[in-house]
């Protein structure tokens, strides 16, 4: 609530606030690997992510994109 009201004061609309909240939620490696969103990239995530760390969905996406970009080039 406090964060949401602070974001409203800064001029964020509801969609921007939801995106900001999603980006700040962190998940463990096993939680991300179980996600439907990362179904096709499970094996890559297993190799790239650390067991002890937590990642936002955006961070996991960025890690995958960087890995894929490196492999394509």
């Amino acid at each position: 609530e406090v964060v949401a009201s602070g974001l409203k004061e800064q001029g964020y609309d509801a969609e921007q606030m939801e995106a900001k909240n999603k980006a700040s939620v962190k998940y463990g490696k096993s939680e991300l690997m179980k996600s439907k969103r990362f179904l096709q990239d499970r094996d890559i995530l297993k190799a790239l992510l650390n067991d002890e760390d937590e990642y936002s969905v955006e961070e996991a996406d960025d890690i995958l994109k960087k890995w894929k970009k490196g492999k394509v080039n």
Side-chain angles (χ1 to χ4, degrees):
E1 295 269 334
V2 174
V3 172
S5 65
L7 291 173
K8 283 182 185 177
E9 290 172 7
Q10 294 176 20
Y12 287 92
D13 64 21
E15 188 175 309
Q16 290 171 319
M17 289 189 318
E18 184 177 335
K20 189 146 181 82
N21 285 337
K22 282 183 182 180
S24 64
V25 176
K26 303 275 184 162
Y27 302 95
K29 176 180 175 178
S30 62
E31 292 173 301
L32 289 168
M33 289 175 52
K34 292 176 188 174
S35 168
K36 289 181 182 179
R37 179 180 183 130
F38 296 111
L39 181 65
Q40 295 179 357
D41 297 313
R42 244 179 226 157
D43 292 334
I44 299 167
L45 284 178
K46 185 176 182 179
L48 295 177
L49 302 182
N50 294 320
D51 293 330
E52 312 82 40
D53 294 336
E54 292 187 336
Y55 306 87
S56 67
V57 172
E58 185 178 81
E59 289 171 328
D61 273 335
D62 287 344
I63 290 168
L64 283 168
K65 286 177 188 175
K66 287 177 184 175
W67 182 84
K68 288 177 180 180
K69 184 178 177 183
K71 289 294 181 184
V72 171
N73 292 337

